[in-house]
């Protein structure tokens, strides 16, 4: 699983869209992380960054109203990070992400953890499909580390 590192940037409305476009440039993105997290030391290099698409669908099933005899319907909620990049340096793949916000949002840590959980879920589904789609087993409980 890829470790994730997220950074918040304060923006609002149209400025949010401008900041997203501004940070799509690898040099600017690397500068933000190097300046904000590494005191200006060049740890994140622009030529080691690749764009990623972190678009997810979150599913929620509301509780059924048993008294009315209604059946549950599955709601889908689209989720996506503002800007994310893969950092390909060494043997470990890292994903760096930026979330813009217009005011202090105390749920931001939860939102970032939710994005991480959705990404890990996607990776597990991909592994499960690659490893088990020709077998009757459908769980990863016996999945060996060397098969990752």
């Amino acid at each position: 699983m890829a470790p994730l590192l997220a950074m918040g940037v304060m923006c609002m409305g149209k400025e949010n869209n401008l900041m997203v476009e501004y940070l799509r440039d690898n040099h600017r993105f690397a500068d933000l992380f190097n300046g904000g997290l590494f005191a200006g030391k060049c740890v994140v290099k622009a030529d080691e960054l690749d764009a990623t698409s972190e678009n997810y669908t979150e599913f929620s099933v509301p509780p059924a109203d048993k008294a009315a005899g209604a059946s549950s319907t599955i709601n889908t909620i689209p989720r996506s990070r503002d800007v994310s990049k893969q950092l390909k340096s060494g043997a470990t793949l890292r994903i760096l992400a930026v979330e813009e916000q217009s005011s202090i949002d105390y749920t931001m840590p939860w939102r970032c953890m939710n994005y991480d959980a959705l990404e890990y879920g996607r990776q597990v589904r991909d592994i499960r499909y690659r490893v088990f789609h020709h077998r009757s087993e459908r769980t990863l409980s016996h999945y060996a580390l060397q098969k990752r």
Side-chain angles (χ1 to χ4, degrees), residues 28-79:
R28 294 178 188 139
F29 191 87
D31 284 347
L32 176 67
F33 275 86
N34 289 330
L37 297 177
F38 304 110
K41 183 178 175 188
C42 189
V43 174
V44 177
K45 296 174 179 62
D47 60 341
E48 294 177 345
L49 292 170
D50 283 331
T52 62
S53 173
E54 288 199 43
N55 296 312
Y56 307 103
T57 302
E58 186 175 349
F59 299 96
S60 67
V61 180
D65 185 359
K66 304 257 187 221
S71 63
S72 293
T73 58
I74 297 175
N75 296 322
T76 59
I77 305 164
R79 301 277 187 224

Side-chain angles (χ1 to χ4, degrees), residues 19-133:
M19 183 58 74
V20 168
E21 283 304 313
Y22 182 80
L23 289 175
R24 288 192 197 279
D25 177 78
N26 286 352
H27 293 281
R28 294 178 188 139
F29 191 87
D31 284 347
L32 176 67
F33 275 86
N34 289 330
L37 297 177
F38 304 110
K41 183 178 175 188
C42 189
V43 174
V44 177
K45 296 174 179 62
D47 60 341
E48 294 177 345
L49 292 170
D50 283 331
T52 62
S53 173
E54 288 199 43
N55 296 312
Y56 307 103
T57 302
E58 186 175 349
F59 299 96
S60 67
V61 180
D65 185 359
K66 304 257 187 221
S71 63
S72 293
T73 58
I74 297 175
N75 296 322
T76 59
I77 305 164
R79 301 277 187 224
S80 64
R81 290 190 191 263
D82 287 338
V83 183
S84 63
K85 306 266 184 185
Q86 289 182 4
L87 175 61
K88 296 181 178 178
S89 130
T92 304
L93 170 68
R94 284 162 265 182
I95 298 175
L96 306 174
V98 174
E99 283 296 315
E100 289 84 19
Q101 58 185 23
S102 59
S103 60
I104 294 173
D105 179 1
Y106 293 106
T107 66
M108 183 59 81
W110 174 84
R111 285 175 43 199
C112 291
M113 288 186 290
N114 189 35
Y115 290 136
D116 295 349
L118 291 168
E119 171 60 21
Y120 292 141
R122 184 196 61 76
Q123 291 177 23
V124 167
R125 283 190 303 279
D126 288 351
I127 292 168
R128 183 180 292 140
Y129 178 78
R130 280 196 319 267
V131 173
F132 298 114
H133 80 281

